[in-house]
Amino acid sequence: MKRRSAGVVASVLCAGLAVGCGDSPAGRSTPSLLDAKGEDARVVSTEFWIQLAAVGLVFALVAAILVASFVRERRRASEEASPHAHHAEGVAWVIVGGIALPVVVLSALFFVYVHDIARLSSQEDRGGPIVVDVIGHRWWWEIRYPKLRIATANQLVLPVGGRVALRVTSKDVIHSFWVPQLRRKIDAIPGSIGSGWISAQQAGIYRGVCSEFCGLQHARMQLLVQAMPQARFAEWVRNAQRAAPQPSTASERAGRDVFTHNACATCHTIRGTTAGGNFGPDLTHVGSRPAIAGAVLANTPGNMGGWIADPQHVKPGAEMPAVPLNGTQLRDVIAYLESLR
Ligand code: CUA
């Protein structure tokens, strides 16, 4: 009996891991603020190490004084000193250790802190030439480049070294936009716009998460920030601005018709087709995205099929309904969506 229940627990855990971790291309490990790859995160992580070093030193000092005073008191008890000298020494300790030292240490830390805050907020105003609107939805991120007329989802692309201005808001409940390796959190609040900027100093893919509990799939409301060299970024922009490519095979053509003639088209936009819904992510270039479903599934035909066939199985509570499709229709839709690069 015991062995059987252990087996059940193990299989449930495995299933939980398989679903929970997904196979997002940014990897399974939780991104760390201390593994900073962006200017903002670097200021914050440096501040963390300075504070940690300062409190560590103070702790070590206090512990050493404590031990030394125990040792001295023991020796004194056997030697017998005058109570007057004892009192004067106690006052000196209170003045130095209880007032002077804390004033010096806390003032130094305060100035470091104020300096860092000033650094972060002065840059905040400058922003960058590229503006990105980040809109939280249950449970995915809508990403728009209004000046460049680009719309995508769960994917924020930026040039390495360049600063991108962010305007963060929400369509439904409060979310919080957080890319630990690149910048601090910005709350996504319905009816208000939080601003800031983001930059990456190294090319790569960085995982972002929602850090404000927003319901059932809160933990799996993620996005991937792709930082690429300027030339590749310019190429990405040119491609993302184009309408969807025309289907080139019979299966892709059939898939487009299935998509535009079914409920898919009422929720999703594919520019260049009749699909113009704006409830779900814009899918004009969905085939070129590294991940789907709130960036928790790698963008593979198998994952795409599983997500379309049974969204509630992949993300219980998700607002995407299952559209009844037969096997051929499903295969064609997958072929079409994967061709949208
Ligand atoms: Cu969105 Cu938590």
Side-chain angles (χ1 to χ4, degrees), residues 136-141 170 172-177 188 209-215 217-222:
H137 293 256
R138 285 194 292 182
W139 287 280
W140 58 282
W141 296 98
S170 166
D172 36 48
V173 299
I174 298 176
H175 305 272
S176 186
F177 171 84
V209 296
C210 176
S211 74
E212 180 85 33
F213 182 72
C214 55
Q217 293 296 328
H218 155 71
R220 291 158 80 215
M221 173 172 172
Q222 306 186 358

Side-chain angles (χ1 to χ4, degrees), residues 170-185:
S170 166
K171 266 275 158 63
D172 36 48
V173 299
I174 298 176
H175 305 272
S176 186
F177 171 84
W178 189 30
V179 187
Q181 287 174 281
L182 303 182
R183 68 151 293 129
R184 295 156 294 154
K185 303 171 183 182

